[in-house]
Amino acid sequence: MTARTIAIVGAGIGGITAALALDAEGHSVTLIERRTGFSEVGAGLQLSPNASRVLADLGLSAALRRAADLPPQVTVRDLASARTLGGVLLGASLKERFGAPYYVIHRADLQTLLLDAVRSRAGIRLMVGREVTAIAETDTSVTLTLESGHGSRTDMFEADLAIGADGVRSRLRQHLDARPLQACGQAAWRALVPREAAPEEFQSDETGLWLGRGHHVVHYPIGRGQQINIVAVIPEKLGSEGWGRLGEPAVLRARLHGAAPPLAALLAIPDSWLVWSLVDRPAARPLARGRIALLGDAAHPILPFLAQGAALAIEDAAVIARTLRQAEVPAALDAYARERGARVRRVRDAARGNGRTYHAGGLTRLARNAVMSRMTPARLTERYAWLYGWTPDGRP
Ligand SMILES: Cc1cc2nc3c(=O)[nH]c(=O)nc-3n(C[C@H](O)[C@H](O)[C@H](O)COP(=O)(O)OP(=O)(O)OC[C@H]3O[C@@H](n4cnc5c(N)ncnc54)[C@H](O)[C@@H]3O)c2cc1C
């Protein structure tokens, strides 16, 4: 296998995991990040077995066990009546079934453990405070233009190939696919509350999913059970989009005024919410060309209704590290793009489908509730075998 010099643009979860996976293959990796600090927003992340398996292979099992929580199951309720509709089994039985755990973790904790691993690897160079503003490609290399100090300094960086892990507003993506980003008229409101402040109904370790017409709420404990992460997805007017902006609690309460009393009490606790406008952009066409590849949200942002955006980025990292064992860079990246295309489409369609199911009204809602109530939690989990059973070695 040929060791290569690889530039990764963006040190989010996808970029950092790719750096670790490529370093493990013996490549020389430079991770370029425009931010100067790594203060991840206060929010949680679900890490399903298809993703935790990759991180375990990178030697992160012990660190994950220390930082993450293991919810025993997801309980699905009707948002207005609090009636239990069904459940999905997680915890020990899911770990046994798929050979890897389903974690929930504070984003900052995940980022810290990933960055600790990066700093311990001599083959990875982390450059912060550098924004990639342009990329040029020849038959044998790529050259990135890096700006720092608010554009006061420009450097050039040459590598054998570049990976754009630069998030949903990716600059590298524009090089491969210029179609614009589109908002989808929904926003995720996120907040953390101390667990001891939450009503009794929220003291268990379960993940809760509350389904209402046109909106839903998810919550789970993170930070070794000390905090509850809440995500509420509600419609928003197109044109009001933003990323990580402050949300007014009264707006959320008005939108979810029909919530059952215990949920309403939980939603009343946070003084401030951070709001993300959701985007549902088709995967880039192509995902890679020549010596440039895209990964994570840069390649395929998906709706968060299956909790798979970061998981897909982590899968991408494992696959690109494997395909780069091939001799020719363009052929290796082409193999990566072909392998990821079908998987990403399937996950994206499933996330969209979940959105429709979660937010259903009328007869569809009744049918959904009837189906769910007939299925055991173990059977519902089994419906996701294709997703959680994914392995990085090329098996489906
Ligand atoms: C409400 C919500 C809940 C979610 N829940 C889950 C979940 O439970 N599980 C899950 O798997 N996923 C979840 N996701 C999705 C997940 O958060 C994202 O898919 C994931 O974080 C994307 O990671 P990334 O590394 O691809 O991109 P990012 O995290 O966006 O990282 C991109 C990085 O690139 C840097 N950058 C950008 N441009 C440049 C440039 N030009 N030069 C240098 N650096 C640059 C940025 O500063 C950033 O650090 C959720 C998303 C939302 C909105």
Side-chain angles (χ1 to χ4, degrees), residues 9-16 32-35 38 40 44-48 51 102 107 111 130-133 165-172 188-190 220 231 233 243 276-278 295-304 306-314:
V9 183
I13 294 165
I16 301 180
I32 304 163
E33 170 57 50
R34 69 176 171 201
R35 292 180 292 166
F38 286 93
E40 258 290 352
L45 191 81
Q46 307 186 51
L47 271 182
S48 50
Y102 195 116
R107 281 173 183 257
Q111 193 168 54
R130 315 286 166 91
E131 177 160 9
V132 173
T133 54
D166 48 342
V168 75
R169 285 169 179 75
S170 168
R171 191 177 286 262
L172 263 70
W189 289 55
R190 293 158 131 182
Y220 46 85
V231 182
V233 174
W243 195 246
W276 274 256
S277 295
L278 300 182
L295 167 158
D297 277 7
H300 43 64
I302 63 166
L303 291 167
L306 196 56
Q308 286 296 314
L312 280 182
I314 291 168

